[in-house]
Amino acid sequence: MVSASPLQKLYNTCNEVFDSCSAGIIPSPDNIQKLKAVLDDFKPADVGLSPEMPHFRASVAGETPVIRYIYIHECEKFSIGIFCLPPSSAIPLHNHPGMTVFSKLLFGTMHIKSYDWVVDVPPSTSAVVSPSKSKQPVVQQPEARLAKVKVNSNFTAPCNTSILYPTDGGNMHCFTAVTACAVLDVLGPPYGSDSDGRHCQFYFDFPFSNISVDGLSLPEGGDEGFAWLQERKKPEDLIVVGELYGDPTTVET
């Protein structure tokens, strides 16, 4: 009997793990570990990638790096895809509403900074960023909301799969490619539409000390682990080109 390919095994595991899940519903701990174990074993060769491919070529000085996203599978329960990031390219700070996300760095070194919302402060705790501090044009600004830094580190492959949850684990994150990088991503469920409130939202982040809010006190340890996040439009200089993964029959559904 021929054993299943790594991609087929990943699809089969995702189909099982996310079968009874929906937005905001996290898979069981056993299922999370099952999927993590499959991803931890993934290697670049399993998806036919190498840093020498044109996808990872450094951009010409002065040009915006082009990020490619390779679609492997998407259904209403989950999606599987690969981000191909050339050196110095970045995916700006963004969220994953109601999702459980597994990210496996296949090769390269990547800086990841992530945040979770601070929930143990009064619901009314928000701030308005002054035009002089905001990176947006001088118009009415969205309020900024307090968030706590979850991760702010470089990761080099091979390393374990990272997991984020709807309200924990660094649900809002940004990726910066220190070298050429490939990231295998599994989202459960995929992004939704504006109407169901599960679209991808981008953010600016501001140091906590930039904005003062009367009566707001932080846990012991100071303000270095906190920041204000302000919604923004999708950055104009973010270029992501999508393509299908090889033969669409690679994974049997």
Side-chain angles (χ1 to χ4, degrees), residues 213-233:
V213 175
D214 291 340
L216 176 61
S217 60
L218 294 176
E220 186 178 352
D223 60 16
E224 291 185 1
F226 295 85
W228 295 100
L229 305 192
Q230 181 191 50
E231 292 186 6
R232 64 178 297 190
K233 293 181 179 179

Side-chain angles (χ1 to χ4, degrees), residues 59-188:
S59 59
V60 177
E63 291 187 357
T64 301
V66 175
I67 298 169
R68 296 186 181 275
Y69 179 76
I70 302 175
Y71 294 86
I72 295 176
H73 177 81
E74 182 168 332
C75 60
E76 65 177 12
K77 292 289 188 179
F78 63 90
S79 66
I80 305 171
I82 304 169
F83 281 103
C84 303
L85 293 91
S88 80
S89 62
I91 301 176
L93 186 63
H94 62 284
N95 69 346
H96 305 82
M99 303 178 192
T100 302
V101 179
F102 298 73
S103 297
K104 169 63 176 178
L105 182 61
L106 296 174
F107 60 75
T109 296
M110 172 177 287
H111 184 85
I112 300 176
K113 188 170 187 179
S114 66
Y115 298 91
D116 289 313
W117 295 122
V118 174
V119 295
D120 53 353
V121 295
S124 59
T125 301
S126 59
V128 176
V129 181
S130 66
S132 62
K133 293 177 179 177
S134 176
K135 304 167 191 175
Q136 299 191 70
V138 181
V139 293
Q140 184 175 357
Q141 305 292 340
E143 288 188 336
R145 185 176 169 188
L146 187 63
K148 181 175 177 59
V149 176
K150 183 71 176 182
V151 173
N152 188 16
S153 302
N154 282 353
F155 293 82
T156 299
C159 55
N160 289 336
T161 302
S162 63
I163 308 171
L164 63 83
Y165 303 94
T167 59
D168 190 25
N171 185 273
M172 295 153 290
H173 67 199
C174 54
F175 289 166
T176 303
V178 179
T179 67
C181 296
V183 183
L184 176 59
D185 252 8
V186 174
L187 278 62

Side-chain angles (χ1 to χ4, degrees), residues 232-252:
R232 64 178 297 190
K233 293 181 179 179
K234 179 182 176 181
E236 293 182 358
D237 60 353
L238 173 61
I239 303 175
V240 180
V241 176
E243 63 180 71
L244 295 176
Y245 176 81
D247 184 344
T249 63
T250 300
V251 174
E252 296 181 4

Side-chain angles (χ1 to χ4, degrees), residues 173-218:
H173 67 199
C174 54
F175 289 166
T176 303
V178 179
T179 67
C181 296
V183 183
L184 176 59
D185 252 8
V186 174
L187 278 62
Y191 283 106
S193 63
D194 290 353
S195 60
D196 62 18
R198 291 202 310 101
H199 62 286
C200 182
Q201 177 62 60
F202 292 89
Y203 298 90
F204 289 121
D205 56 344
F206 300 94
F208 177 83
S209 58
N210 277 26
I211 307 169
S212 61
V213 175
D214 291 340
L216 176 61
S217 60
L218 294 176

